[in-house]
């Protein structure tokens, strides 16, 4: 079955959460995506699922960051996600990509290539270039090394003020977090302005 045929099957199954609320409506009102962003998120999520369900066993699909968040929100509602998978007759579909960064990076590059072949040009917002995602990993490593270096060379030991020590580690933590979310902020969303970070305040 091709990606387009699989996508047609997926499009025929509504994406609803427990209680009947649609996933798109939840994204539109409970995140900073807004209505248009939520509509596009659902399109990209469905396309990713089509790629994932048709992926070879030795080359599982890897979602981009924002699609991963949408997928995670859907899976967080266990009953709704099970019903969705049952309607597709695909069993409980879950993420099965290796935890090793190099394997995930390879899988993501392959998924982007398959997306381009199946659906055409990619949005750099929804499917950022692998190099941008690599920046996040490299920044994290750099700041961890710097933190270890500060301890190793006795920088912290020479500071008498506990507040100064906490401030140093606070800066390190802030930079780590900045590195984690940096790739998501390289490009503004083509539509609603502002942060695209999702927030989940608990079960719906």
């Amino acid at each position: 079955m091709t990606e387009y045929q699989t996508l047609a099957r997926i499009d025929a199954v509504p994406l609803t959460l427990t209680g009947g609320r649609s996933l798109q409506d939840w994204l539109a009102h409970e995140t900073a995506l807004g209505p248009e962003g939520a509509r596009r998120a659902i399109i990209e999520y469905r396309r990713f699922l089509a790629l994932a369900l048709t992926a070879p066993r030795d080359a599982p699909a890897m979602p981009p960051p924002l699609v991963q968040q949408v997928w995670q929100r859907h899976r967080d509602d266990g009953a709704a996600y099970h019903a969705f998978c049952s309607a597709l007759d695909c069993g409980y579909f879950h993420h099965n990509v290796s935890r090793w960064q190099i394997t995930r990076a390879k899988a993501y590059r392959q998924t982007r290539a398959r997306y381009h072949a199946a659906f055409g040009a990619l949005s750099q917002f929804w499917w950022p270039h692998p190099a941008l995602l690599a920046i996040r990993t490299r920044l994290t490593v750099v700041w961890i090394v710097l933190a270890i270096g500060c301890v190793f060379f006795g920088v912290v030991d020479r500071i008498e003020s506990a507040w100064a020590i906490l401030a140093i580690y606070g800066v390190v933590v802030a930079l780590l977090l900045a590195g984690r979310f940096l790739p998501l902020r390289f490009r503004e969303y083509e539509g609603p302005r502002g942060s695209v970070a999702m927030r989940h305040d608990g079960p719906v």
Side-chain angles (χ1 to χ4, degrees):
M1 187 176 292
T2 67
E3 288 87 354
Y4 260 110
Q5 290 172 326
T6 303
L7 180 60
R9 289 180 56 211
I10 294 171
D11 283 342
V13 180
L15 291 169
T16 55
L17 301 174
T18 300
R21 188 180 188 184
S22 72
L23 179 59
Q24 180 172 330
D25 181 71
W26 187 91
L27 292 170
H29 294 92
E30 305 299 331
T31 78
L33 287 172
E36 179 57 25
R39 183 191 68 82
R40 189 67 205 181
I42 294 299
I43 291 174
E44 297 298 337
Y45 176 46
R46 289 183 183 277
R47 288 180 176 181
F48 165 72
L49 290 178
L51 294 171
L53 290 171
T54 56
R57 287 186 176 274
D58 60 345
M62 178 72 188
L66 291 179
V67 174
Q68 169 66 37
Q69 293 182 55
V70 176
W71 190 16
Q72 184 61 56
R73 174 63 189 96
H74 194 192
R75 286 184 296 163
D76 283 345
D77 191 331
Y81 190 68
H82 271 286
F84 175 76
C85 292
S86 296
L88 288 177
D89 194 25
C90 65
Y92 183 84
F93 184 66
H94 59 86
H95 201 243
N96 60 351
V97 177
S98 168
R99 291 181 179 273
W100 291 100
Q101 183 62 34
I102 188 170
T103 306
R104 295 167 67 90
K106 179 181 178 181
Y108 181 61
R109 289 194 299 270
Q110 292 174 337
T111 305
R112 288 182 91 249
R114 291 183 57 227
Y115 183 106
H116 187 271
F119 305 119
L122 300 89
S123 163
Q124 289 302 313
F125 175 81
W126 292 101
W127 292 84
H129 193 278
L132 293 182
L133 299 184
I135 290 175
R136 179 172 68 184
T137 301
R138 290 168 185 165
L139 277 177
T140 301
V141 172
V142 166
W143 291 116
I144 289 176
V145 170
L146 284 176
I148 294 174
C150 285
V151 174
F152 182 78
F153 289 108
V155 173
V156 172
D157 291 340
R158 297 173 187 173
I159 301 176
E160 296 180 358
S161 171
W163 288 109
I165 294 174
L166 290 175
I168 290 174
Y169 281 106
V171 170
V172 170
V173 170
L175 290 171
L176 282 171
L177 291 175
R180 176 174 176 78
F181 294 106
L182 180 62
L184 304 185
R185 301 179 185 277
F186 260 65
R187 183 183 177 96
E188 287 188 355
Y189 177 64
E190 303 103 340
R193 300 180 63 85
S195 169
V196 297
M198 297 192 179
R199 61 181 173 82
H200 181 198
D201 299 322
V204 174

